[in-house]
Amino acid sequence: MTLDEKLTELHGIRDATHYRYVPAIPRLAIPELRITNGPAGAGPDGAGPQPQATALPAPISLAATWDPHLAIAYGKVLGGESRLLGNGLVEAPTINIARMPQNGRTFEGFGEDPYLTGQISAQEIIGIQAEHIIADVKHFAANNQETDRRTVNEEIDERALREIYLPAFEVSIKEGHAGSVMCAYPKVNGVYCCEHAQLMTDILKKEWAFTGFITSDFHAVHSSAESAVAGLDLEMPTGDYFSDRLKKDIESGKVPISIIDDKLVRRFRAMMQIGVWDRVPMPKPLPEKENGEIARQLAEEGIVLLKNNGLLPLKMAEVKSVALIGPYAQNASTGGGGSSHVRPLYAVDPPDGIRQKLNANATLTVLDGSDLDAVTAAAKAADVAIVMIGDHDREGHDQSLELPGNQNALACAVIAANRRTVVVLKTGSAVLMRWIDAAPALLEAWYPGEEDGNAVASVLFGEVNPSGKLPLTFPKRVKDTFAANRGQYPGIHKVAKYTEGTYVGYRYYDQKRIDPLFPFGFGLSYSKFAFSNLRVNPRSLEFDVANIGAVAGAEVAQVYLAMPSSAAVPQPPKQLKAFQKVRIEPGRSAHVRLTLNERAFQYWDVASRGWKTAPGTYSVMVGSSSRDLPLSAQIVIGQ
């Protein structure tokens, strides 16, 4: 390759016919690389109109399934459709930790816990790349807020970086074998992520032995030589820095040609290994029906039952009239906004899904909720009222936790008018609920995707027993989050100080002894489960989970570890270290065996810059959520 040819392959181009595109070099049989966005389904790709694709439920819903097997299925739909649309790389998954629920892109990620995030991410990557398309894990690293995202400097101590914000990326590389990683917009400790040598070269490429390539987030590059030497391999979407400027740096000797060659080898190797190199992109029809069925199952499995006074499941024979009310009651919530937007192949709206569950002589009244007098009258006249409220979070904007518009007043009015009211939330993150005490039943459906109407109706009427669990904490008040301290979020003078250290998510609520509205890992069922017979060894444990209810269901058995804590190395009260979703028939039990790897017992030692196991007593806790752990035992290590 000539130097100009090499430079051509280090950045994307944008013109009337190309976007998210790295050109081919026919002389050398180097193929083009077409790129699509895609954390929630194949999204924006080329310069033309965005193609249609299966609108999967939001990734936060996938995390709520707590099911790595479903993550593979999610990845196969996403990767397979991205490939069929003619692409070679899909910008997914998004695995930034939900440091606080106000982040406008919380819906694109997998929640607040690094272990859960890593397990879901690795399996989704395996699913994507099984379809012979490169997964691009993003955004590396700590892209945790939309406010000032392109300029904010995040001051993060080394231990928090290693224990909270980097583990899911490490697992995505070591277990998921991701072919590429996307560097993020912000600065971490004073250095932009896309010119951060410690993150990209020292940790990612050397320590984790990452053999793939690093792409930039769009227009996230601020230098040529600095970014090239630090480890960035591909500038997107164009060559503002990795073309003429980089050529001068190479010719002057600031950037050795060996560094340039390494960048090309990394990308070409990934394209060859994953099956992109020899495939000519030829758009083909998508398996709409088959993938729609998978999207429906994913949405059903991600729905979380947060409250139920016995109203749910609704019984078809007993429901003669339904008032379906609210701004999210008429059209399917197919996803959030921004670069993750998917143009759905089709959409099942809530009224269509619910009508299928009603008897032919039952009536369904649908109102958007704008007229509270009409809402009250309709709710009073109905056997059951279903109020669907929510939000539409999007890239580029954080959210306040308050439901927009008059939705709180709407929920209060419907609940007051009909004691048989089900509230269905369609949100991208946690929201505040001033009406929660009065609500008889509550479902969190997230953004269910194109199968919204069918999936939510299946859970409401008991065809599906809900088994989702929250992948993030729902706070009672804004002041219970980091937004209470402007220095922590969104930052002062474009500096956000992560003074909470490792106390993120439920770790923070536990340490501060703050009662959440709903805790991490929480989710009810139409059945009941009991845990018993815990036995532990230093590296493994086993226990029984019994279905003591009347219907078949699934429970997520969660294992938390309390590590020895000291003034020198303080530890959160507990940390998630293992989980398993088990499906059990009524009256039956499941025997669960789980292994804890060495990392489960380790913390990052700043002095030695490595992982260490503290000698002492470790408490193992098992149960159905971070605040419901009926089984416990102790392990002594190194004493």
Side-chain angles (χ1 to χ4, degrees), residues 1-210:
M1 300 174 71
T2 66
L3 177 56
D4 285 341
E5 286 172 334
K6 290 178 180 181
L7 289 165
T8 296
E9 293 299 304
L10 295 179
H11 61 85
I13 64 171
R14 182 172 191 174
D15 56 30
T17 56
H18 297 107
Y19 187 50
R20 298 176 182 269
Y21 179 83
V22 184
I25 302 180
R27 182 182 77 84
L28 299 172
I30 295 172
E32 65 189 13
L33 178 62
R34 294 178 180 268
I35 295 172
T36 182
N37 212 310
D45 54 9
Q50 181 177 337
Q52 291 180 290
T54 298
L56 294 162
I60 193 70
S61 174
L62 173 62
T65 70
W66 288 60
D67 190 336
H69 298 291
L70 289 179
I72 294 176
Y74 194 105
K76 286 181 74 66
V77 172
L78 172 55
E81 291 197 355
S82 296
R83 174 177 50 79
L84 290 172
L85 289 168
N87 300 290
L89 180 147
V90 57
E91 295 168 342
T94 299
I95 63 170
N96 295 119
I97 297 299
R99 178 179 175 239
M100 72 286 160
Q102 288 90 344
N103 180 8
R105 295 181 85 172
T106 298
F107 73 94
E108 286 190 45
F110 299 140
E112 70 190 24
D113 182 77
Y115 180 78
L116 174 63
T117 297
Q119 295 304 301
I120 299 296
S121 174
Q123 299 307 306
E124 182 180 323
I125 291 163
I126 288 169
I128 290 171
Q129 296 190 160
E131 295 295 323
H132 306 295
I133 186 165
I134 299 166
D136 191 32
V137 188
K138 61 185 189 182
H139 311 81
F140 189 67
N143 194 153
N144 304 318
Q145 65 187 60
E146 291 301 280
T147 303
D148 300 326
R149 64 174 179 165
R150 292 177 184 265
T151 53
V152 67
N153 177 28
E154 301 164 330
E155 294 186 352
I156 311 173
D157 71 75
E158 187 178 339
R159 192 176 154 214
L161 196 62
R162 288 290 192 157
E163 294 187 21
I164 302 296
Y165 301 107
L166 294 185
F169 285 98
E170 183 177 3
V171 173
S172 296
I173 299 306
K174 292 183 175 179
E175 297 180 18
H177 305 290
S180 64
V181 172
M182 179 189 291
C183 58
Y185 286 124
K187 296 176 184 176
V188 171
N189 297 326
V191 182
Y192 281 110
C193 286
C194 290
E195 56 187 39
H196 207 302
Q198 181 192 14
L199 288 175
M200 293 193 293
T201 294
D202 296 346
I203 295 175
L204 182 59
K205 292 182 175 179
K206 292 182 178 178
E207 184 182 324
W208 297 347
F210 173 60

Side-chain angles (χ1 to χ4, degrees), residues 66 112 116 304 467-473 506 518-524 555-556 558 560 576 623-628:
W66 288 60
E112 70 190 24
L116 174 63
V304 185
S467 60
K469 301 280 188 174
L470 292 181
L472 76 167
T473 304
Y506 63 89
F518 295 107
F520 173 82
F522 177 79
L524 302 173
E555 175 64 293
V556 178
Q558 302 168 38
Y560 295 82
L576 180 71
S624 62
S625 83
S626 63
R627 292 285 177 105
D628 183 10

